[in-house]
Amino acid sequence: VPGDIALAYLLQGSFYGHALYATAYMDTWRKDSLVMLLHHLVTLALLAASYAFRILQSHGEPQHPWGAGGSPKIHGVMGGSPMPSGRGGCAGSVPCHGDTDPALSPFWFRLYWFPLKVLYATCHCSLQAVPNIPFYFFFNALLLVLTLMNIYWFLYIVLFVAKVLLGQVQEVNDVREYDVEESRK
């Protein structure tokens, strides 16, 4: 594994390892703390399995059908044939920053475009390009779990915005806190 890639895995793994410890022992316990712990565990599993898979590739053992780079060579996506010209934007038809309303960008990219592209590429396109991908279901199950957690947290954001718009919030409180709702009862 190249040094820069190994460093990226080390940094991300240490971040999520610390976040797991901090959520369990240092943070205020919230309604979504168990989901946060699960998120960190799933992300660590994804990182560790991905790194282990790269090590297997680099030592000449079972070679991945994608080749030494470990990335799929899907037509028009990551390393395959170039995208046709005339499709502007950062990722084909996605408008770059400045093309969309800045207030809507986090919703558009984080909750729609990114999961759509990642899940489509990993669940559909990769299986068409390489029919017998090792660990296909394992990696995609972890990505789907992470996507479901993003939706779960987005619902908390929607709940908070709805409370603000309906005038039910006099001060800014985290809706994930146990003591905020209990103190009102």
Side-chain angles (χ1 to χ4, degrees):
V1 177
D4 57 343
I5 304 269
L7 181 63
Y9 276 106
L10 176 68
L11 290 173
Q12 286 296 305
S14 61
F15 171 79
Y16 282 104
H18 174 268
L20 183 66
Y21 173 80
T23 302
Y25 298 109
M26 298 171 69
D27 279 351
T28 303
W29 197 255
R30 297 183 172 106
K31 292 177 187 176
D32 71 331
S33 291
L34 284 176
V35 177
M36 185 71 74
L37 288 171
L38 179 65
H39 173 270
H40 298 325
L41 283 172
V42 167
T43 305
L44 276 171
L46 198 58
L47 285 167
S50 175
Y51 186 72
F53 194 69
R54 278 184 159 272
I55 287 176
L56 277 176
Q57 278 184 283
S58 65
H59 289 340
E61 292 188 18
Q63 286 295 313
H64 194 279
W66 287 339
S71 63
K73 307 258 187 283
I74 301 167
H75 179 72
V77 181
M78 300 186 318
S81 302
M83 296 294 275
S85 60
R87 293 183 67 191
C90 299
S93 61
V94 179
C96 288
H97 68 282
D99 294 345
T100 60
D101 183 10
L104 297 177
S105 290
F107 303 109
W108 176 256
F109 286 104
R110 184 175 180 100
L111 295 170
Y112 174 70
W113 196 253
F114 179 74
L116 178 74
K117 283 295 186 183
V118 168
L119 293 175
Y120 180 74
T122 61
C123 293
H124 179 70
C125 295
S126 62
L127 198 55
Q128 283 187 335
V130 184
N132 294 318
I133 298 174
F135 307 112
Y136 170 81
F137 292 106
F138 174 74
F139 284 114
N140 282 314
L142 292 177
L143 286 172
L144 287 169
V145 167
L146 289 175
T147 302
L148 292 174
M149 286 185 232
N150 264 346
I151 293 168
Y152 173 77
W153 282 309
F154 179 68
L155 294 176
Y156 270 119
I157 295 169
V158 170
L159 174 68
F160 180 73
V161 169
K163 285 184 176 185
V164 167
L165 292 176
L166 295 173
Q168 297 176 356
V169 176
Q170 277 67 25
E171 60 185 62
V172 178
N173 288 320
D174 192 344
V175 294
R176 301 173 300 161
E177 298 286 342
Y178 281 113
D179 57 332
V180 173
E181 287 185 6
E182 291 174 5
S183 66
R184 290 184 185 168
K185 292 179 181 177

